[in-house]
Amino acid sequence: MGDTVDSKNVEAKLEKKALSPEDYTPNGPVAKRIAAVTPYFPFKGIDRFYDIGGFLKRPEIFQLVVDVFVARYKSIGIDSIAGFDARGFILGPPVALALKKPFIMFRKKGKMPNSITGTEYGKEYAGKDTLSIPRGSVNKGDKVLLIDDLVATGGTLCAGIELVQLLGGTVAECACIVELKFLNARKKLDSEGYTKTPIWALMDESILTLDGMKCKDIPTDGYVDDGEAH
């Protein structure tokens, strides 16, 4: 298995540094503290599947994630926040509550009543899917923040932008914890005509180095990836 990693020691070293809102920069001190407890695993044929469960079980780190987004978006004049099925439903509501903004669910087709369905899109890793948005959830001229845990190819983001625009709104920004830069989501958005829609990520894959299969703090006995497409 190679050398083991002690995530508690890594986190303890980072905690010694005083953190401030000025440190909420991509791949900065706060991002490194969150990355230190966010492992990756082989999953569904993907060598590095990043698991946000690593910070969700640590309330103080989860709070940091929320604080980052609140600090960034409290003054840009958004009208609502929309999160993607399903991990966007974990991240979006606490940010929406802190900012006193409505939260909108992008759900998979057939999972929500009184909704409008967009066009089929290619999922981040394999297969096709379709998203729906509640009818009337976006008013003409609304500025909507899209939020998800991770951005890979950009296909899911494009599906969300399409639905917001269909209802007459605009996407102020696409926010995520992790952007996999090597998959170039920016190129996908540009190719779909969303050249003016920014993507902001707290970190990229370069600082996510916690191998869940080698970390002695993470129980993995008996875990074997089935290798099936995600």
Side-chain angles (χ1 to χ4, degrees), residues 91-213:
L91 301 171
V95 177
L97 283 171
L99 295 177
K100 303 295 191 291
K101 301 296 181 183
F103 179 74
I104 301 165
M105 295 188 295
F106 287 126
R107 294 223 63 187
K108 303 293 176 61
K109 181 180 178 181
K111 299 293 185 180
M112 182 166 55
N114 193 28
S115 58
I116 295 173
T117 300
T119 56
E120 188 179 68
Y121 67 95
K123 293 198 296 185
E124 303 286 33
Y125 298 106
K128 301 286 186 178
D129 221 328
T130 311
L131 289 179
S132 298
I133 190 171
R135 196 180 303 272
S137 58
V138 176
N139 297 315
K140 187 175 181 179
D142 279 359
K143 294 181 179 179
V144 184
L145 172 68
L146 307 192
I147 191 166
D148 208 354
D149 67 324
L150 181 144
V151 171
T153 62
T156 304
L157 289 185
C158 288
I161 297 169
E162 177 198 35
L163 284 170
V164 169
Q165 292 186 351
L166 187 64
L167 294 182
T170 59
V171 174
E173 191 158 84
C174 300
C176 60
I177 299 172
V178 180
E179 180 183 0
L180 302 181
K181 293 288 190 180
F182 76 96
L183 290 176
N184 202 353
R186 178 75 265 162
K187 183 178 179 180
K188 174 65 175 176
L189 265 65
D190 291 348
S191 71
E192 296 292 330
Y194 305 130
T195 57
K196 295 183 179 180
T197 303
I199 301 172
W200 187 85
L202 178 58
M203 66 186 77
D204 61 40
E205 66 271 27
S206 67
I207 67 168
L208 287 160
T209 59
L210 181 59
D211 187 337
M213 300 301 292

Side-chain angles (χ1 to χ4, degrees), residues 15-31:
E15 283 181 337
K16 293 178 181 178
K17 298 180 179 180
L19 300 175
S20 68
E22 289 72 28
D23 293 319
Y24 295 166
T25 54
N27 289 349
V30 171

Side-chain angles (χ1 to χ4, degrees), residues 2 8 31 48 58 65 67-68 78 91 110 173 209 216 221 227:
K8 292 181 180 178
R48 292 193 174 197
R58 293 173 170 84
V65 174
D67 291 347
V68 168
I78 59 172
L91 301 171
E173 191 158 84
T209 59
K216 67 180 183 180
D221 290 348

